Amino acid sequence: MAVDISKYHQIREELAAEGATLVAVSKTKPLADIQELYDLGQRDFGENYVQELVEKQAQLPADIRWHFIGHLQSNKVRYIAPFVHQIHGVDSAKLLREISKQGQKAGRTIDALLQVHIAREETKFGLDADELAGILNGAPEPNVRIRGLMGMASFSDDQSLVRSEFSSLSGLFKQYRDRPNFDSLSMGMSGDYRIALEEGSNLVRIGSLLFGSRN
Ligand SMILES: *Cc1c(COP(=O)(O)O)cnc(C)c1O
């Protein structure tokens, strides 16, 4: 499936009007598709799998900002620490510590977003409000910069449910907004990004609308 260039331009315009950033989610998609959007000026790309990200990073332009948006296991942080731009799905103090440790080894401070569980589904990863407070009020890790929050709404046609989930995440984000560097609210995907923008998202992660559906 080819990249949908006109959709890309349309989404870029929509996001520009809202002051939001597009992360083009390229998981499972070939290098040529990423290069095609890169050539149009896209620099932020999102990947979910460590090995796939490492392989792609080595073969694509060095100024791509790679967002790791999948569920990251602590023992794999070291593979992406030297280059990753931002890690979206941080859901434990242990993982945060490991990111800091690997950041230190790589001589960098790594940007991270804390993932909050907002969906009705049990299976989604993420912190609840108390766990979030525990991490944000705990001792800071020297080589991690917590830039904000990330969340995924329920996969549902019920727009009011999706909206209320995004709204709850947005409320938490506002609560911590005056912390240093705390400026990113990552919410919204192909199916729900418009609702996410209306609820205050400034970082949307869009895959299938740009690259076509995944197998
Ligand atoms: C795959 C994925 C996306 C993109 O999903 P689409 O529905 O294809 O836009 C966004 N965020 C996360 C965390 C993902 O895993």
Side-chain angles (χ1 to χ4, degrees):
M1 178 104 60
V3 179
D4 190 335
I5 301 297
S6 66
K7 196 77 193 168
Y8 172 68
H9 288 301
Q10 178 213 313
I11 290 172
R12 282 294 295 254
E13 268 177 39
E14 276 180 73
L15 296 187
E18 302 287 338
T21 298
L22 170 65
V23 176
V25 177
S26 48
K27 62 184 175 209
T28 78
K29 297 300 176 184
L31 298 174
D33 287 5
I34 299 172
Q35 186 70 49
E36 197 173 341
L37 282 194
Y38 178 91
D39 291 341
L40 295 173
Q42 180 65 24
R43 289 296 178 272
D44 293 271
F45 290 89
E47 290 281 340
N48 286 54
Y49 308 104
V50 168
Q51 192 182 340
E52 183 180 351
L53 171 54
V54 168
E55 284 169 12
K56 285 176 168 174
Q57 190 272 338
Q59 298 175 76
L60 285 161
D63 62 343
I64 288 181
R65 294 184 287 269
W66 292 105
H67 297 249
F68 190 85
I69 63 170
H71 188 251
L72 183 57
Q73 291 170 281
S74 292
N75 62 359
K76 297 204 171 153
V77 175
R78 61 196 164 104
Y79 299 112
I80 63 172
F83 66 84
V84 71
H85 174 67
Q86 196 162 66
I87 299 175
H88 286 227
V90 179
D91 63 354
S92 73
K94 177 179 172 241
L95 180 57
L96 208 56
R97 247 188 329 273
E98 180 64 15
I99 293 169
S100 183
K101 184 178 149 193
Q102 297 302 334
Q104 191 168 23
K105 279 190 187 170
R108 321 176 53 212
T109 297
I110 298 174
D111 283 354
L113 305 179
L114 296 175
Q115 184 170 1
V116 180
H117 179 106
I118 53 171
R120 201 172 40 177
E121 289 121 48
E122 295 275 329
T123 53
K124 295 232 169 80
F125 297 103
L127 304 158
D128 65 27
D130 288 343
E131 292 166 332
L132 177 67
I135 289 180
L136 288 173
N137 296 325
E141 296 291 343
N143 286 70
V144 180
R145 214 181 283 115
I146 299 177
R147 297 297 302 260
L149 304 179
M150 178 267 204
M152 293 170 78
S154 298
F155 284 109
S156 169
D157 293 333
D158 182 349
Q159 301 220 343
S160 66
L161 174 70
V162 170
R163 185 178 295 282
S164 74
E165 291 171 353
F166 284 149
S167 167
S168 73
L169 184 59
S170 199
L172 282 172
F173 178 66
K174 285 183 191 129
Q175 206 176 307
Y176 295 104
R177 187 76 167 86
D178 53 4
R179 291 173 58 95
N181 304 311
F182 203 87
D183 56 9
S184 300
L185 180 56
S186 170
M187 59 183 198
M189 309 172 30
S190 288
D192 56 19
Y193 78 94
R194 286 211 177 88
I195 301 175
L197 289 172
E198 285 165 15
E199 295 302 325
S201 170
N202 58 26
L203 198 52
V204 301
R205 311 174 310 270
I206 295 183
S208 41
L209 279 182
L210 301 172
F211 295 109
S213 58
R214 293 174 297 271
N215 297 323

